[in-house]
Amino acid sequence: MVKILGRRGRVLGAAMGAGFGLLAAAPVLAGPFEFAPSPQTDLNRVYRVDRATGEVGACQFQLKEGGVGLTVCFPSGEGAGPQTPSDYSLMPSRHEREGGIFRVNLRTGEMSICYVFDDKTVCTPQVK
């Protein structure tokens, strides 16, 4: 059975089609986290920053005797917890023996160095 739509049905159908087209063409928004590896070439550590709060953490692979390895994560410690809300990013240095990473505030230009110390991720105070 074919139903013939009047003008209202055609306008509604066209609007719905355009809406679906916009949804399909919309860019996928980035997640709230950014990840970057430690610049140290013999360290398998990856840092994570919450882009809005600046909170930093790190994880790395660790061998386990007699079995599959495991992921060890270092929670936020001194200076690595949430900061003033802004737009944060991670920036590795080019120093191949550096285990830490820069946390940068893209709005203010402030930076700090974050690294793992005593099973916690810690960061120096932010400065410009």
Side-chain angles (χ1 to χ4, degrees), residues 56-73:
V56 177
C59 294
Q60 70 185 38
F61 172 77
Q62 186 172 353
L63 289 173
K64 186 173 128 184
E65 195 173 317
V68 176
L70 51 110
T71 303
V72 177
C73 292

PDB file of all heavy atoms in Angstrom, residues 56-73:
ATOM      1  N   VAL A  56      46.915  14.456  35.796  1.00  0.00           N
ATOM      2  CA  VAL A  56      47.836  13.595  35.058  1.00  0.00           C
ATOM      3  C   VAL A  56      48.016  12.264  35.779  1.00  0.00           C
ATOM      4  O   VAL A  56      48.091  12.212  37.006  1.00  0.00           O
ATOM      5  CB  VAL A  56      49.219  14.276  34.901  1.00  0.00           C
ATOM      6  CG1 VAL A  56      50.206  13.368  34.191  1.00  0.00           C
ATOM      7  CG2 VAL A  56      49.084  15.590  34.148  1.00  0.00           C
ATOM      8  N   GLY A  57      48.096  11.198  35.009  1.00  0.00           N
ATOM      9  CA  GLY A  57      48.406   9.867  35.513  1.00  0.00           C
ATOM     10  C   GLY A  57      49.306   9.171  34.505  1.00  0.00           C
ATOM     11  O   GLY A  57      49.529   9.675  33.405  1.00  0.00           O
ATOM     12  N   ALA A  58      49.821   8.011  34.868  1.00  0.00           N
ATOM     13  CA  ALA A  58      50.703   7.274  33.969  1.00  0.00           C
ATOM     14  C   ALA A  58      50.498   5.775  34.170  1.00  0.00           C
ATOM     15  O   ALA A  58      50.121   5.332  35.255  1.00  0.00           O
ATOM     16  CB  ALA A  58      52.159   7.635  34.245  1.00  0.00           C
ATOM     17  N   CYS A  59      50.743   5.011  33.112  1.00  0.00           N
ATOM     18  CA  CYS A  59      50.685   3.555  33.176  1.00  0.00           C
ATOM     19  C   CYS A  59      51.855   2.991  32.383  1.00  0.00           C
ATOM     20  O   CYS A  59      52.363   3.636  31.469  1.00  0.00           O
ATOM     21  CB  CYS A  59      49.387   3.013  32.576  1.00  0.00           C
ATOM     22  SG  CYS A  59      47.899   3.448  33.495  1.00  0.00           S
ATOM     23  N   GLN A  60      52.266   1.779  32.748  1.00  0.00           N
ATOM     24  CA  GLN A  60      53.323   1.107  32.002  1.00  0.00           C
ATOM     25  C   GLN A  60      53.128  -0.396  32.085  1.00  0.00           C
ATOM     26  O   GLN A  60      52.406  -0.897  32.939  1.00  0.00           O
ATOM     27  CB  GLN A  60      54.705   1.495  32.519  1.00  0.00           C
ATOM     28  CG  GLN A  60      55.040   0.951  33.887  1.00  0.00           C
ATOM     29  CD  GLN A  60      56.369   1.462  34.384  1.00  0.00           C
ATOM     30  OE1 GLN A  60      56.725   2.617  34.157  1.00  0.00           O
ATOM     31  NE2 GLN A  60      57.118   0.610  35.063  1.00  0.00           N
ATOM     32  N   PHE A  61      53.782  -1.101  31.172  1.00  0.00           N
ATOM     33  CA  PHE A  61      53.749  -2.558  31.136  1.00  0.00           C
ATOM     34  C   PHE A  61      54.808  -3.088  32.087  1.00  0.00           C
ATOM     35  O   PHE A  61      55.903  -2.538  32.197  1.00  0.00           O
ATOM     36  CB  PHE A  61      54.034  -3.048  29.713  1.00  0.00           C
ATOM     37  CG  PHE A  61      54.200  -4.531  29.616  1.00  0.00           C
ATOM     38  CD1 PHE A  61      53.099  -5.367  29.654  1.00  0.00           C
ATOM     39  CD2 PHE A  61      55.463  -5.091  29.510  1.00  0.00           C
ATOM     40  CE1 PHE A  61      53.252  -6.739  29.572  1.00  0.00           C
ATOM     41  CE2 PHE A  61      55.628  -6.460  29.416  1.00  0.00           C
ATOM     42  CZ  PHE A  61      54.518  -7.291  29.455  1.00  0.00           C
ATOM     43  N   GLN A  62      54.464  -4.158  32.780  1.00  0.00           N
ATOM     44  CA  GLN A  62      55.423  -4.797  33.669  1.00  0.00           C
ATOM     45  C   GLN A  62      55.376  -6.302  33.447  1.00  0.00           C
ATOM     46  O   GLN A  62      54.295  -6.892  33.373  1.00  0.00           O
ATOM     47  CB  GLN A  62      55.081  -4.484  35.123  1.00  0.00           C
ATOM     48  CG  GLN A  62      56.096  -4.969  36.111  1.00  0.00           C
ATOM     49  CD  GLN A  62      55.790  -4.449  37.512  1.00  0.00           C
ATOM     50  OE1 GLN A  62      54.903  -3.633  37.715  1.00  0.00           O
ATOM     51  NE2 GLN A  62      56.536  -4.916  38.482  1.00  0.00           N
ATOM     52  N   LEU A  63      56.548  -6.899  33.323  1.00  0.00           N
ATOM     53  CA  LEU A  63      56.607  -8.355  33.171  1.00  0.00           C
ATOM     54  C   LEU A  63      56.176  -9.023  34.464  1.00  0.00           C
ATOM     55  O   LEU A  63      56.436  -8.528  35.555  1.00  0.00           O
ATOM     56  CB  LEU A  63      58.019  -8.799  32.819  1.00  0.00           C
ATOM     57  CG  LEU A  63      58.506  -8.464  31.418  1.00  0.00           C
ATOM     58  CD1 LEU A  63      59.981  -8.829  31.285  1.00  0.00           C
ATOM     59  CD2 LEU A  63      57.688  -9.195  30.385  1.00  0.00           C
ATOM     60  N   LYS A  64      55.510 -10.159  34.322  1.00  0.00           N
ATOM     61  CA  LYS A  64      55.092 -10.938  35.476  1.00  0.00           C
ATOM     62  C   LYS A  64      55.754 -12.298  35.358  1.00  0.00           C
ATOM     63  O   LYS A  64      55.646 -12.958  34.327  1.00  0.00           O
ATOM     64  CB  LYS A  64      53.566 -11.055  35.484  1.00  0.00           C
ATOM     65  CG  LYS A  64      52.990 -11.704  36.699  1.00  0.00           C
ATOM     66  CD  LYS A  64      51.484 -11.591  36.646  1.00  0.00           C
ATOM     67  CE  LYS A  64      50.866 -12.952  36.848  1.00  0.00           C
ATOM     68  NZ  LYS A  64      49.437 -12.960  36.720  1.00  0.00           N
ATOM     69  N   GLU A  65      56.431 -12.712  36.384  1.00  0.00           N
ATOM     70  CA  GLU A  65      57.157 -13.971  36.349  1.00  0.00           C
ATOM     71  C   GLU A  65      56.197 -15.135  36.092  1.00  0.00           C
ATOM     72  O   GLU A  65      55.180 -15.283  36.762  1.00  0.00           O
ATOM     73  CB  GLU A  65      57.894 -14.185  37.672  1.00  0.00           C
ATOM     74  CG  GLU A  65      58.939 -15.269  37.605  1.00  0.00           C
ATOM     75  CD  GLU A  65      59.770 -15.331  38.878  1.00  0.00           C
ATOM     76  OE1 GLU A  65      60.160 -14.258  39.377  1.00  0.00           O
ATOM     77  OE2 GLU A  65      59.996 -16.442  39.347  1.00  0.00           O
ATOM     78  N   GLY A  66      56.537 -15.945  35.086  1.00  0.00           N
ATOM     79  CA  GLY A  66      55.778 -17.146  34.807  1.00  0.00           C
ATOM     80  C   GLY A  66      54.429 -16.924  34.153  1.00  0.00           C
ATOM     81  O   GLY A  66      53.569 -17.801  34.186  1.00  0.00           O
ATOM     82  N   GLY A  67      54.184 -15.765  33.550  1.00  0.00           N
ATOM     83  CA  GLY A  67      52.883 -15.557  32.927  1.00  0.00           C
ATOM     84  C   GLY A  67      52.816 -14.294  32.105  1.00  0.00           C
ATOM     85  O   GLY A  67      53.824 -13.659  31.808  1.00  0.00           O
ATOM     86  N   VAL A  68      51.621 -13.957  31.774  1.00  0.00           N
ATOM     87  CA  VAL A  68      51.358 -12.755  30.991  1.00  0.00           C
ATOM     88  C   VAL A  68      51.678 -11.531  31.849  1.00  0.00           C
ATOM     89  O   VAL A  68      51.430 -11.526  33.053  1.00  0.00           O
ATOM     90  CB  VAL A  68      49.874 -12.727  30.554  1.00  0.00           C
ATOM     91  CG1 VAL A  68      49.544 -11.449  29.822  1.00  0.00           C
ATOM     92  CG2 VAL A  68      49.560 -13.936  29.700  1.00  0.00           C
ATOM     93  N   GLY A  69      52.220 -10.502  31.216  1.00  0.00           N
ATOM     94  CA  GLY A  69      52.537  -9.271  31.935  1.00  0.00           C
ATOM     95  C   GLY A  69      51.275  -8.558  32.397  1.00  0.00           C
ATOM     96  O   GLY A  69      50.160  -9.032  32.186  1.00  0.00           O
ATOM     97  N   LEU A  70      51.472  -7.420  33.037  1.00  0.00           N
ATOM     98  CA  LEU A  70      50.322  -6.654  33.506  1.00  0.00           C
ATOM     99  C   LEU A  70      50.564  -5.169  33.326  1.00  0.00           C
ATOM    100  O   LEU A  70      51.696  -4.720  33.166  1.00  0.00           O
ATOM    101  CB  LEU A  70      50.018  -6.985  34.966  1.00  0.00           C
ATOM    102  CG  LEU A  70      51.159  -6.905  35.961  1.00  0.00           C
ATOM    103  CD1 LEU A  70      50.954  -5.729  36.890  1.00  0.00           C
ATOM    104  CD2 LEU A  70      51.159  -8.191  36.762  1.00  0.00           C
ATOM    105  N   THR A  71      49.492  -4.426  33.365  1.00  0.00           N
ATOM    106  CA  THR A  71      49.551  -2.973  33.264  1.00  0.00           C
ATOM    107  C   THR A  71      49.581  -2.405  34.674  1.00  0.00           C
ATOM    108  O   THR A  71      48.707  -2.724  35.481  1.00  0.00           O
ATOM    109  CB  THR A  71      48.330  -2.420  32.510  1.00  0.00           C
ATOM    110  OG1 THR A  71      48.282  -3.036  31.230  1.00  0.00           O
ATOM    111  CG2 THR A  71      48.412  -0.916  32.360  1.00  0.00           C
ATOM    112  N   VAL A  72      50.586  -1.601  34.964  1.00  0.00           N
ATOM    113  CA  VAL A  72      50.720  -0.958  36.263  1.00  0.00           C
ATOM    114  C   VAL A  72      50.450   0.528  36.061  1.00  0.00           C
ATOM    115  O   VAL A  72      51.071   1.162  35.203  1.00  0.00           O
ATOM    116  CB  VAL A  72      52.142  -1.155  36.834  1.00  0.00           C
ATOM    117  CG1 VAL A  72      52.305  -0.414  38.144  1.00  0.00           C
ATOM    118  CG2 VAL A  72      52.438  -2.628  36.997  1.00  0.00           C
ATOM    119  N   CYS A  73      49.526   1.073  36.842  1.00  0.00           N
ATOM    120  CA  CYS A  73      49.195   2.495  36.721  1.00  0.00           C
ATOM    121  C   CYS A  73      49.576   3.236  37.991  1.00  0.00           C
ATOM    122  O   CYS A  73      49.493   2.698  39.093  1.00  0.00           O
ATOM    123  CB  CYS A  73      47.716   2.676  36.423  1.00  0.00           C
ATOM    124  SG  CYS A  73      47.275   2.085  34.775  1.00  0.00           S
TER     125      CYS A  73
END
